[in-house]
Amino acid sequence: LCAVMLTSPLSSAGFVVGHAGLYQALAMFAVAYFIIGMTVLSVCAIATNGALDAGGAYYMISRALGPEFGGSIGIMFFLANVCGSALYVLGLVEAVLDSFGIPPGQKEGTGVHVLPQSYWYELLYGTVLLALCLLVCLVGASIYAKATFLIFLIVAGVLGTILVSFFATRPFGVPIHLPHPNGSDTKNGSFTGFSLATLRANLGGGYGVDYTTGQTMSFSSVFAVMFNGCTGIMAGSNMSGDLKRPSYSIPRGTISAVLFTYLVYNLLAFLMCATCNRTLLQKDYGFLRDISIFPPLVTVGIYAATLSAAMSNLIGASRILYALARDDLFGRALVLAKKTSASGNPVMAVILSWLVVQLVLFSGKLNTIAGVVTTFFLLVYATVNLACLALEWASAPNFRPTFRYFTWHTCLLGIAGCCVMMFLISPVSASASLGFLLLLLLALHYLSPSSTWGYISQALIFHQVRKYLLMLDVRKDHVKFWRPQMLLMVQNPRGSARLIDFVNDLKKSGLYVLGHVELQDLDTLPSDPLQPQQDSWLSLVDKLNVKAFVSLTLAPSVRHGVRQLLFTSGLGGMRPNTLVLGFYDDTAPQDGLSRHPAFTSARDQVPLGFPPLRAPAAPKLLSAREYVGIVADALKMLRNVLLARQLESLDKAWELRRAASPPPAIHVWPVNLLRPDSARYADTCSLFLLQMACVLNMARAWRRARLRLFLCVEAGAMPHAQEEKLRQLLKDLRIQAQIQLVPWDAVTRLHWQTRQGPPGGPVEGEEEEEGSVNFPANTTQVSDEYVCAANKLILEQSPAPAVRFLYLPRPPADTSLYPLYLHQLELLTRGLGPTVLVHGVSAVTSTQL
């Protein structure tokens, strides 16, 4: 209470009323205290929501909004307190010179007026007074608290004396000596006593020249000076680390002091306007001493209040600096400020704050820095309101302040009021302050260490994501807005780094989940073994710079685990619609993670949470039958399937940086090469394959690549008509691709010779539509010789592409044929390099607007 009230209206009320008049002065008080009142409600809410430590507003903001906001606002608040301390020291120098300074135009003083006046002398006086503040602050908070209580009693007595003086003093004239280039100028002010004429003359504004700076005053400049007298609301919270019960003391002391000072300001404004003419108010800021029934007491009160305010800001700045240093947000830059005395007083922070205040004293005049100080304080108040607003909007169960007299409306009004007044007072200072704040935010975001305070941004994001997920209605899905939502199954990230990166390019801003199945039984384990692994997977996602979620599960088999993930991954309208698997072959896995650019620097180590890769001779975790069963399960669950082979050999950086002529290519074969008797280019699976190739080409890293679409034609089948039909389809789908005709009579001839049937269509018993029930005998009727010929046909198309997309046929209905089906896929893709086998079950292309 004492700390807040001591930034009293004794010296600034006359300045405000003299220039602004009663109406505008009352409006200024109302606006200032409206902003302060909203901020006080936010301060009280945060202060009563948990244990407060040293740092006051900085501590509140940093623990609510995170280290970036907290650190940047902490620096701004430190500077505000530093400038505020300098402001009050300069104000005290003015008051001292008014009483003891040699009048302007005289070379020698008379009586008590013995102090010479000049810039360097005023700087000397300010330095001496600041040294006195330093001594008190170095002793510690205990002596400061005792001193402020004593000063509070003095100020309360002075206020009582002044109020009595307005009634007890008779009217008289007051000669005012003003500085002048050629000597001094004398004007006559008047104390008229209570006069209706004086009151009417002082109702409107009458902005004149400030005799201390020579600048013409305006509403904004007067408000800036007046507002500095109200900034003591943070004085109590700045000492939160020194209070025994900050959650109890801060709300009661702050609210009481704000109400008291608001009433005093309004009462003094009315009494001054009714008893003092404008000349006295504008030209003599120390007129209260002239009209007092006991002038020395007023002088002592003004000195005491101003000195106490200077000490309050100095000790507040030191506590903020100490809290910033202790949190290590700026590394070694503030290491000196951590040092404390045996009693816990941060002496080095006090000394560093004193040095900065001493530098600010070189600015000279009081009103010169008033606008900057006000802007800084308004910015801090706005951020305190923002912190409380964020906590309220996040609706976190642990935000339960015992002070309940606030809502998000009060926080929002406080923010709006602070921002509006910042730009009204000084657009330049406000813009510069916001720019400086932004620079600090960016610097701390990239340079500061992570904290364990909790980030309000995470709570707000959770709140908004939950709301929008509920609004994401799967019943309103439309093919125009389809996007791939990937579930990539990863056995060990050490052997899948490039595959993870490749699928990240395929997702097209859709959902991307890295799935992993751990083969264990929870019944036989003391605790969940997946929890310790979660951090390693999340670190992997960060290092690889992929936008993916991680979903881990326990299961007795890989197939059961994949089923679980397909059923449970995602939420609401964000569920995987495409399953991606690595290819099942006998290739020994290679540790691509250790060679990945994200882990090649000396300071970045491969995550230790991942086990070594399987040895070439070691048994696999799943059989060929189980692998094909996973593909069949996904298709039954209406999920698209991608099988990626040799993607770990894809050096994307080299492929996309090589010579621009010819550019890297993406080869697309949208025909079922294992069913030449039903080769079509416009079925659901072919269109899905085209869509996935196009999506890859749209990714930023693959935009230089060119799509090459291969049209397999037979003699006598009107190839040009087929080409024109396919070209029209690509035009309708807005897909830019080069079409290349590939004669494959020699390949299909092998197929018909094996089947011993005439070409021209499926034999009896086959089904024309390749849908949910596949042709049962097709797998057995495709020979290895034919598959090898198809593989050779693909390889003959040069130049070699960066990646190939092939049609993936459905697995056979007879599970005994699963190994043969997998064998044919292996023959088809042998030696092709990076290849993606694609089977789509859902319509994904649209020609509509």
Side-chain angles (χ1 to χ4, degrees):
L1 175 63
C2 298
V4 178
M5 289 177 57
L6 286 171
T7 53
S8 71
L10 288 179
S11 57
S12 61
F15 169 82
V16 174
V17 173
H19 287 282
L22 181 61
Y23 290 154
Q24 292 187 38
L26 295 179
M28 287 183 187
F29 299 150
V31 170
Y33 275 87
F34 173 79
I35 295 171
I36 290 169
M38 299 300 102
T39 306
V40 164
L41 297 181
S42 299
V43 168
C44 294
I46 298 175
T48 58
N49 189 54
L52 275 180
D53 206 340
Y58 158 71
Y59 188 86
M60 298 178 192
I61 294 168
S62 62
R63 269 48 178 185
L65 299 183
E68 293 93 347
F69 254 107
S72 53
I73 285 297
I75 290 294
M76 301 290 284
F77 198 27
F78 168 74
L79 293 176
N81 277 276
V82 161
C83 293
S85 182
L87 188 76
Y88 287 117
V89 169
L90 291 173
L92 182 55
V93 169
E94 277 192 12
V96 170
L97 291 177
D98 278 346
S99 301
F100 304 104
I102 298 174
Q106 296 183 15
K107 293 183 179 181
E108 295 183 358
T110 57
V112 295
H113 301 282
V114 294
L115 296 178
Q117 299 190 45
S118 70
Y119 170 79
W120 292 108
Y121 274 112
E122 291 174 13
L123 180 61
L124 174 63
Y125 304 149
T127 302
V128 172
L129 293 172
L130 183 60
L132 177 62
C133 297
L134 173 65
L135 290 175
V136 174
C137 295
L138 283 176
V139 173
S142 58
I143 191 166
Y144 167 75
K146 294 174 182 176
T148 51
F149 181 72
L150 176 62
I151 295 173
F152 166 70
L153 296 177
I154 295 173
V155 172
V158 171
L159 281 174
T161 303
I162 290 173
L163 293 177
V164 172
S165 299
F166 281 112
F167 295 92
T169 304
R170 295 182 177 182
F172 67 99
V174 181
I176 305 170
H177 301 285
L178 298 175
H180 195 272
N182 298 323
S184 64
D185 185 20
T186 302
K187 290 186 177 292
N188 293 315
S190 298
F191 177 78
T192 64
F194 286 96
S195 168
L196 188 58
T198 303
L199 179 62
R200 286 176 177 172
N202 288 328
L203 290 178
Y207 296 101
V209 176
D210 176 18
Y211 69 88
T212 63
T213 62
Q215 298 176 353
T216 302
M217 293 291 100
S218 63
F219 182 91
S220 59
S221 59
V222 172
F223 181 85
V225 175
M226 183 276 299
F227 193 81
N228 281 288
C230 311
T231 55
I233 64 164
M234 289 295 181
S237 63
N238 286 344
M239 297 181 64
S240 54
D242 300 304
L243 298 173
K244 290 182 180 179
R245 298 170 59 193
S247 297
Y248 175 87
S249 303
I250 290 175
R252 286 162 177 77
T254 305
I255 292 175
S256 302
V258 167
L259 291 175
F260 179 80
T261 53
Y262 179 64
L263 292 174
V264 170
Y265 257 125
N266 283 274
L267 180 59
L268 284 178
F270 174 77
L271 293 175
M272 290 174 182
C273 284
T275 58
C276 305
N277 71 351
R278 194 175 294 272
T279 302
L280 181 61
L281 294 173
Q282 281 191 356
K283 304 303 180 183
D284 184 6
Y285 300 152
F287 71 95
L288 289 176
R289 179 179 59 251
D290 299 326
I291 67 172
S292 173
I293 57 175
F294 190 55
L297 184 60
V298 175
T299 302
V300 171
I302 292 175
Y303 292 174
T306 314
L307 185 65
S308 175
M311 285 192 294
S312 172
N313 279 269
L314 179 61
I315 202 167
S318 67
R319 294 310 189 264
I320 296 165
L321 188 64
Y322 172 65
L324 284 166
R326 197 173 58 176
D327 287 337
D328 281 327
L329 296 184
F330 295 90
R332 296 183 179 180
L334 298 179
V335 67
L336 277 177
K338 291 183 181 180
K339 299 186 181 299
T340 62
S341 65
S343 61
N345 187 32
V347 290
M348 289 306 300
V350 173
I351 292 173
L352 290 173
S353 302
W354 166 76
L355 286 173
V356 181
V357 176
Q358 183 64 56
L359 292 175
V360 177
L361 286 180
F362 282 93
S363 64
K365 293 297 182 181
L366 182 150
N367 293 346
T368 305
I369 57 175
V372 177
V373 176
T374 301
T375 301
F376 281 178
F377 273 111
L378 283 170
L379 196 56
V380 173
Y381 294 169
T383 313
V384 171
N385 284 300
L386 177 63
C388 189
L389 178 67
L391 290 168
E392 179 69 9
W393 275 355
S395 301
N398 282 323
F399 183 58
R400 298 189 298 270
T402 56
F403 182 87
R404 297 299 306 166
Y405 301 102
F406 77 101
T407 67
W408 65 268
H409 305 87
T410 61
C411 303
L412 207 57
L413 287 172
I415 294 171
C418 291
C419 293
V420 169
M421 291 313 301
M422 266 198 308
F423 283 94
L424 282 180
I425 290 170
S426 175
V428 175
S429 296
S431 302
S433 300
L434 289 173
F436 182 53
L437 177 64
L438 183 60
L439 286 176
L440 287 172
L441 275 171
L442 293 174
L444 286 171
H445 178 72
Y446 290 107
L447 300 177
S448 69
S450 59
S451 71
T452 57
W453 306 335
Y455 292 81
I456 190 64
S457 58
Q458 295 299 302
L460 290 172
I461 290 169
F462 177 89
H463 185 72
Q464 292 301 108
V465 166
R466 180 192 63 84
K467 182 170 70 174
Y468 286 116
L469 271 176
L470 290 171
M471 296 170 63
L472 191 60
D473 192 345
V474 294
R475 295 168 295 183
K476 298 179 182 179
D477 282 348
H478 195 279
V479 66
K480 289 190 299 183
F481 307 112
W482 178 90
R483 66 180 72 238
Q485 306 202 73
M486 304 292 198
L487 172 61
L488 170 62
M489 298 305 304
V490 180
Q491 178 185 342
N492 191 331
R494 292 181 183 275
S496 307
R498 287 180 174 171
L499 177 58
I500 293 171
D501 185 58
F502 178 78
V503 177
N504 187 61
D505 292 335
L506 271 180
K507 72 180 188 307
K508 188 55 181 174
S509 303
L511 178 68
Y512 183 17
V513 180
L514 298 181
H516 173 71
V517 179
E518 192 78 16
L519 298 183
Q520 295 191 58
D521 186 359
L522 191 60
D523 290 338
T524 63
L525 299 171
S527 62
D528 181 7
L530 299 178
Q531 291 299 325
Q533 300 182 29
Q534 192 79 17
D535 285 346
S536 295
W537 283 86
L538 294 176
S539 298
L540 174 77
V541 169
D542 292 339
K543 290 289 185 183
L544 295 180
N545 196 26
V546 295
K547 297 177 181 177
F549 297 95
V550 174
S551 186
L552 313 178
T553 188
L554 287 176
S557 69
V558 176
R559 186 174 183 181
H560 281 86
V562 175
R563 282 181 185 170
Q564 290 176 23
L565 293 176
L566 285 172
F567 277 124
T568 61
S569 291
L571 196 63
M574 293 189 67
R575 293 184 180 277
N577 56 27
T578 304
L579 174 67
V580 186
L581 301 171
F583 197 76
Y584 189 95
D585 56 20
D586 294 326
T587 305
Q590 301 293 322
D591 192 345
L593 204 59
S594 60
R595 301 190 304 271
H596 195 278
F599 298 97
T600 52
S601 62
R603 60 190 181 90
D604 291 331
Q605 300 296 323
V606 178
L608 301 178
F610 304 122
L613 289 170
R614 173 181 60 85
K620 297 181 180 180
L621 294 179
L622 75 165
S623 64
R625 186 184 298 270
E626 187 180 8
Y627 176 82
V628 180
I630 292 172
V631 176
D633 291 343
L635 295 178
K636 290 176 184 177
M637 298 165 69
L638 297 182
R639 302 296 203 278
N640 310 299
V641 176
L642 273 62
L643 303 183
R645 185 172 192 186
Q646 295 186 11
L647 261 297
E648 286 306 303
S649 66
L650 173 62
D651 190 344
K652 184 176 73 172
W654 181 85
E655 288 284 355
L656 301 178
R657 281 202 309 265
R658 65 182 183 177
S661 180
I666 300 172
H667 285 189
V668 183
W669 295 78
V671 62
N672 188 351
L673 294 173
L674 297 186
R675 285 200 57 183
D677 53 340
S678 62
R680 294 193 305 275
Y681 289 88
D683 67 356
T684 299
C685 187
S686 297
L687 292 176
F688 180 80
L689 189 150
L690 277 173
Q691 180 81 322
M692 295 310 299
C694 180
V695 166
L696 180 65
N697 194 208
M698 293 169 69
R700 180 176 299 176
W702 291 87
R703 285 177 186 169
R704 280 190 58 246
R706 296 291 179 263
L707 287 180
R708 294 182 67 193
L709 190 61
F710 293 92
L711 177 61
C712 297
V713 295
E714 300 180 53
M718 296 186 294
H720 294 292
Q722 293 183 38
E723 180 183 5
E724 187 58 33
K725 183 177 179 181
L726 183 57
R727 195 177 303 280
Q728 184 61 41
L729 174 64
L730 293 177
K731 182 179 179 181
D732 292 341
L733 295 176
R734 290 90 61 204
I735 297 176
Q736 296 181 358
Q738 174 191 352
I739 299 176
Q740 183 170 332
L741 301 180
V742 180
W744 71 330
D745 298 80
V747 178
T748 56
R749 191 178 298 116
L750 293 172
H751 176 65
W752 301 124
Q753 288 175 356
T754 304
R755 297 187 60 180
Q756 297 180 352
V763 298
E764 184 180 355
E766 293 182 350
E767 294 193 16
E768 178 133 357
E769 183 65 31
E770 204 265 341
S772 59
V773 180
N774 40 271
F775 176 57
N778 187 65
T779 302
T780 58
Q781 293 183 7
V782 176
S783 66
D784 287 358
E785 185 182 9
Y786 163 77
V787 178
C788 290
N791 172 264
K792 183 179 178 182
L793 178 71
I794 297 171
L795 280 171
E796 288 173 348
Q797 311 309 315
S798 59
V803 64
R804 291 180 172 93
F805 283 85
L806 302 184
Y807 191 118
L808 173 68
R810 293 182 71 96
D814 185 356
T815 58
S816 65
L817 298 178
Y818 281 0
L820 179 60
Y821 167 81
L822 188 59
H823 171 69
Q824 291 175 350
L825 294 181
E826 196 279 329
L827 287 178
L828 180 65
T829 58
R830 181 178 294 176
L832 295 185
T835 304
V836 182
L837 292 159
V838 180
H839 191 100
V841 296
S842 55
V844 296
T845 56
S846 172
T847 58
Q848 303 176 11
L849 286 176

